[in-house]
Amino acid sequence: MSAKKIEGDGVTKKPYKAESKKLMDMLIHSVYTNKEIFLRELISNGSDALDKLYYKTLDDPEKTFNREDYYMELEVDRKRRTLTLRDTGLGMNQEDLEDQLGTLAKSGSLAFKEDQDQAQDIIGQFGIGFYSAFLVADKVQVLSKKYGEDQAYLWESEGPEGYSIVEAEKEGHGTAITLYLKEDKDEETYGEFLEDYRLEDLVKRYSNYIRYPIKMEVTRRRALDQEGEEPGYETYQEVQVLNSMVPIWQKNKQELKEEDYRQFYRDQHYGFEDPLDWIHINVEGLISYRAILYIPGVKPFDYQTKAYEKGLQLYSKGVLIMDRCEKLLPDALSFIRGVVDSEDLSLNISREILQEDRQLAHISKNIENKVLSHLKKIMDKDRAKYETFYNNFGESLKLSIYESYGAHKDKVQDLLLFYSARQGGLVSLAQYLEAMGEDQDKIYYQGGESLDHLAKMPQRAYYDQKGWDILFLTHPMDEFVLKIMGDYQGKAFQSISQEEEGQEDPEKPDLLKKIGALLDGRVVAVRWSDRLGDNPVSLVARGDISLEMERILTREGQLGLKAQKVLEINRNHPVHDKLEALKDQEEDLRAYSQILYDQAALIEGLPLEDPVAYAKTIWKFMK
Ligand code: ADP
Ligand code: MG
């Protein structure tokens, strides 16, 4: 290559601007694991340069647009240990090389780079552009010729010390970037970036949807046509386009078949089974984006464990920026898998990180609204499908109400389903309200271990006879969620094993007082009841903590939180007469009272305080 020196004597190195050097030092010396992103960065620059040329030719009547002239090309030289990426884009002249590659931070981005961790994070998420070449190379050459100009230039640098620019020769416009890969050292392998399969894989992973072809000559193997003999193989070279170019989310819905969406779901490894449903979004506005969002068909085995990572794939102009961008999804929708592509997000490190955050938050809000209203649509149109979804992921919706202290109530309450005792299946709260009798003004529920158990609860009798439906809650979170919601459309939630306000009877007969005293502080009150059907006793709770909550909290090891219990005794049951008869025989009355209390607790699923004492008391009567 004949090169004319531009800078004084020999090839004088120019120093980088101070802030570039600082970042470069940090980059090169950081134990940065994801060094493979350099390729994505260089390809993204190549693609930008092709875009720029394309826009330029739009205004140029002389130039006709030939699609075949716009491409990138990867070339490997194993002997020299170099990897070259060529593009036929706009190219750079001396001034451009000076300005664009000599300075890294163009706007006020230095401040946030001071913080190492944060800078690492930015490198990881948005890339640091051209300089990432130094993650894998100890020398980088940029040979470039600008479109419409005659002189080519060679920019060269071996790291933070500086760079040089000399005149050079190059056929045609565009840029060729050559990386002299670092030597392999222990676990640090750089030779891998000379392997076909590795490069193919990287292009597919990070740059699959770049709109220009990325070509590479690859070595393939094929079977020889030999009759009767052992099959032989030969290798041959072939130029391949490594990227698929048009991402499915950029296509129109009308062009796509259901199978295309399912295929994409599998290709991206969102899940093993088919998705239950999906939404294809194209938003144009303040921040434009396209997205395909999937509701998985099955619940991931690690869902709602610490191991599960929520998030969407984030692309900008066809370049993968992040594989699991958490900020795009509110917690209530952790189960959603899919992809977001927004041209409005910049790959440029010199953008303020805060602005990116605001953009992501904006998209996230938008996604939330779309998904929630889509779920409502499924609920109304395809109830079976919705129930499949709800059984898998309904918990996340409830959790979002609970964890937001009710702030998400309005958004989510119409998507909730609970088991209706009367319907024998799941109903929404709106359905419950519709079926409510005129004399009923509360939404009744009962929490318990299982539907079977709940169906046999003695408290049910009264509500059944009134014709009032009861929601059976079997998920530990359910009752906490209803408590936080307080009401639905102005109708309060009321547990049927919770004392209703104004239910306390003022004047207590002596017998009830006695029984209360004999129960040694286990109950706050004892009273007669006419609501128990043919059951002798039942426990209800007074105040904020219900029996079901006590049961769950005890199971979770929170032993201090106990419900205030009221023992109800059926006035119409023979047991009532027996108690009256024992009024003045304290020992027997104590035994009876304790047995009745323990039985009421057992029915509620609460553990016995002293199982041995309980058994002994019963044996006493069996003699
Ligand atoms: P960014 O792409 O975010 O601007 P980079 O560090 O990746 O930052 O690139 C810096 C600049 O160098 C680009 O903005 C562009 O002007 C120039 N550049 C880099 N690679 C090329 C290329 N292949 N062709 C033309 N210009 C390029
Ligand atoms: Mg770039």
Side-chain angles (χ1 to χ4, degrees):
M1 183 185 319
S2 76
K4 198 177 103 200
K5 289 161 249 161
I6 295 174
E7 297 295 323
D9 52 357
V11 183
T12 323
K13 281 202 177 125
K14 282 188 154 192
Y16 287 102
K17 305 244 165 78
E19 61 271 38
S20 309
K21 180 166 171 0
K22 198 163 166 188
L23 183 60
M24 237 164 109
D25 272 336
M26 202 173 79
L27 171 66
I28 295 166
H29 297 121
S30 65
V31 271
Y32 187 51
T33 49
N34 205 15
K35 51 188 192 293
E36 67 192 25
I37 55 112
F38 77 94
L39 190 61
R40 152 192 105 171
E41 294 301 319
L42 299 183
I43 288 175
S44 145
N45 286 348
S47 168
D48 288 348
L50 287 158
D51 275 346
K52 285 180 200 160
L53 180 63
Y54 172 69
Y55 292 127
K56 205 175 173 65
T57 58
L58 287 181
D59 307 329
D60 184 350
E62 300 289 293
K63 173 98 178 153
T64 48
F65 173 70
N66 282 323
R67 180 163 279 286
E68 316 82 70
D69 297 341
Y70 290 73
Y71 63 90
M72 278 175 268
E73 201 172 29
L74 277 168
E75 192 181 283
V76 160
D77 184 333
R78 293 199 178 81
K79 283 207 203 73
R80 288 167 65 218
R81 242 183 119 73
T82 60
L83 171 65
T84 299
L85 176 69
R86 252 188 292 279
D87 67 67
T88 58
L90 183 63
M92 287 173 279
N93 59 23
Q94 188 188 354
E95 218 185 325
D96 294 335
L97 287 166
E98 199 70 66
D99 285 357
Q100 317 294 351
L101 304 187
T103 315
L104 182 66
K106 282 161 233 148
S107 67
S109 55
L110 190 64
F112 69 71
K113 294 201 299 279
E114 299 290 345
D115 181 344
Q116 272 264 3
D117 288 346
Q118 208 181 343
Q120 284 268 341
D121 207 35
I122 293 159
I123 294 168
Q125 290 179 18
F126 290 93
I128 70 139
F130 172 76
Y131 289 82
S132 60
F134 290 100
L135 287 169
V136 297
D138 40 29
K139 180 161 104 180
V140 178
Q141 285 181 334
V142 180
L143 176 63
S144 194
K145 186 151 122 190
K146 191 154 182 171
Y147 174 76
E149 300 184 13
D150 296 325
Q151 183 63 55
Y153 296 90
L154 180 70
W155 179 100
E156 186 176 306
S157 171
E158 292 185 22
E161 288 72 42
Y163 60 90
S164 63
I165 301 175
V166 295
E167 286 184 0
E169 267 163 28
K170 182 185 183 303
E171 241 181 74
H173 58 84
T175 303
I177 298 178
T178 300
L179 310 182
Y180 291 77
L181 296 175
K182 295 181 188 175
E183 286 305 318
D184 293 349
K185 172 169 97 201
D186 307 326
E187 276 113 81
E188 304 277 294
T189 56
Y190 301 95
E192 63 188 88
F193 301 117
L194 298 167
E195 303 301 332
D196 287 2
Y197 74 90
R198 184 75 169 109
L199 295 168
E200 284 188 70
D201 177 59
L202 284 179
V203 171
K204 286 229 162 61
R205 181 126 51 95
Y206 292 109
S207 314
N208 202 24
Y209 304 119
I210 289 283
R211 291 182 300 258
Y212 304 97
I214 303 164
K215 303 178 191 176
M216 184 168 76
E217 190 178 82
V218 295
T219 302
R220 297 275 193 251
R221 234 157 67 105
R222 67 181 155 214
L224 287 168
D225 237 357
Q226 292 167 304
E227 262 171 55
E229 291 172 39
E230 288 274 290
Y233 291 93
E234 64 174 356
T235 57
Y236 66 101
Q237 264 73 36
E238 172 179 82
V239 175
Q240 287 253 320
V241 173
L242 305 183
N243 54 330
S244 86
M245 296 200 277
V246 185
I248 163 171
W249 62 85
Q250 293 291 1
K251 296 184 180 165
N252 286 328
K253 279 180 232 180
Q254 293 78 357
E255 293 174 55
L256 293 164
K257 291 196 266 308
E258 294 206 343
E259 186 45 35
D260 296 327
Y261 288 105
R262 293 201 187 98
Q263 186 61 45
F264 181 67
Y265 184 84
R266 286 190 291 269
D267 286 349
Q268 302 296 101
H269 308 293
Y270 291 151
F272 298 111
E273 324 277 324
D274 279 340
L276 185 72
D277 207 357
W278 53 84
I279 325 173
H280 191 157
I281 304 176
N282 179 13
V283 169
E284 278 170 30
L286 190 58
I287 292 171
S288 302
Y289 74 94
R290 283 175 170 265
I292 299 180
L293 308 174
Y294 290 96
I295 301 168
V298 294
K299 182 163 154 178
F301 69 91
D302 59 353
Y303 191 64
Q304 281 181 357
T305 69
K306 285 209 177 80
Y308 181 83
E309 290 176 79
K310 70 161 188 171
L312 298 174
Q313 290 188 303
L314 176 63
Y315 282 80
S316 180
K317 296 188 200 160
V319 179
L320 178 65
I321 295 175
M322 257 176 118
D323 205 35
R324 290 278 170 109
C325 183
E326 290 179 36
K327 291 191 179 129
L328 286 170
L329 276 184
D331 283 341
L333 305 181
S334 299
F335 52 87
I336 295 282
R337 306 299 314 272
V339 53
V340 169
D341 187 342
S342 175
E343 308 232 334
D344 296 335
L345 292 171
S346 170
L347 276 174
N348 194 335
I349 188 176
S350 54
R351 282 275 193 103
E352 297 293 338
I353 190 80
L354 281 174
Q355 189 180 343
E356 304 290 1
D357 268 4
R358 256 205 319 273
Q359 292 171 330
L360 294 182
H362 179 93
I363 296 176
S364 163
K365 189 103 220 83
N366 205 279
I367 283 176
E368 179 177 32
N369 292 338
K370 300 240 179 219
V371 172
L372 292 177
S373 62
H374 187 79
L375 287 173
K376 188 70 180 58
K377 217 184 291 170
I378 304 179
M379 182 170 167
D380 296 341
K381 290 214 175 105
D382 189 343
R383 188 55 178 259
K385 187 187 251 187
Y386 187 78
E387 290 193 10
T388 306
F389 153 74
Y390 193 79
N391 288 328
N392 286 334
F393 302 115
E395 206 178 320
S396 295
L397 299 179
K398 294 179 204 164
L399 198 62
S400 108
I401 293 185
Y402 183 67
E403 290 188 336
S404 69
Y405 300 104
H408 294 168
K409 173 182 166 183
D410 287 347
K411 280 196 278 204
V412 177
Q413 60 185 358
D414 283 313
L415 292 171
L416 299 180
L417 298 177
F418 296 100
Y419 187 90
S420 144
R422 186 125 52 98
Q423 304 290 328
L426 294 171
V427 295
S428 67
L429 293 172
Q431 285 174 306
Y432 184 99
L433 245 54
E434 268 164 43
M436 231 159 101
E438 274 181 9
D439 55 342
Q440 185 187 352
D441 67 348
K442 286 189 172 141
I443 300 175
Y444 292 104
Y445 67 87
Q446 168 77 313
E449 188 70 51
S450 67
L451 292 178
D452 262 2
H453 178 205
L454 284 166
K456 293 177 193 145
M457 289 286 216
Q459 295 93 330
R460 258 193 86 171
Y462 172 76
Y463 297 86
D464 284 354
Q465 165 240 321
K466 285 259 187 194
W468 296 350
D469 196 6
I470 303 166
L471 298 175
F472 283 170
L473 312 180
T474 50
H475 192 282
M477 207 197 309
D478 287 345
E479 186 166 7
F480 294 88
V481 170
L482 295 190
K483 278 252 148 73
I484 277 187
M485 287 173 68
D487 72 292
Y488 174 76
Q489 308 288 6
K491 304 286 181 215
F493 296 109
Q494 173 69 49
S495 162
I496 66 166
S497 50
Q498 192 84 355
E499 203 172 55
E500 287 191 51
E501 259 169 62
Q503 210 180 317
E504 304 106 79
D505 29 16
E507 191 47 41
K508 293 234 159 65
D510 280 350
L511 176 58
L512 291 180
K513 284 191 198 145
K514 249 187 206 163
I515 295 174
L518 290 171
L519 286 174
D520 285 340
R522 291 187 186 88
V523 295
V524 293
V526 183
R527 67 160 168 255
W528 301 130
S529 169
D530 298 314
R531 294 179 163 203
L532 298 181
D534 53 10
N535 293 281
V537 281
S538 154
L539 271 185
V540 298
R542 177 178 290 177
D544 283 335
I545 301 177
S546 71
L547 299 170
E548 175 63 2
M549 286 162 110
E550 175 178 326
R551 189 177 68 81
I552 291 165
L553 293 168
T554 307
R555 202 176 58 192
E556 305 286 319
Q558 307 243 33
L559 299 173
L561 292 164
K562 294 234 184 276
Q564 298 189 328
K565 300 175 189 76
V566 176
L567 182 66
E568 294 188 328
I569 302 172
N570 189 346
R571 205 200 309 260
N572 312 313
H573 194 278
V575 122
H576 165 262
D577 306 334
K578 184 77 186 174
L579 289 169
E580 286 283 5
L582 293 174
K583 203 153 145 188
D584 299 316
Q585 302 173 36
E586 188 163 319
E587 270 323 291
D588 279 354
L589 186 62
R590 179 197 302 275
Y592 263 76
S593 304
Q594 293 192 349
I595 289 173
L596 287 172
Y597 170 83
D598 280 341
Q599 289 179 334
L602 277 175
I603 288 172
E604 292 299 327
L606 293 171
L608 290 177
E609 276 170 37
D610 187 345
V612 177
Y614 171 73
K616 280 190 175 157
T617 319
I618 290 191
W619 293 335
K620 210 172 93 187
F621 290 101
M622 293 175 83
K623 278 191 213 138

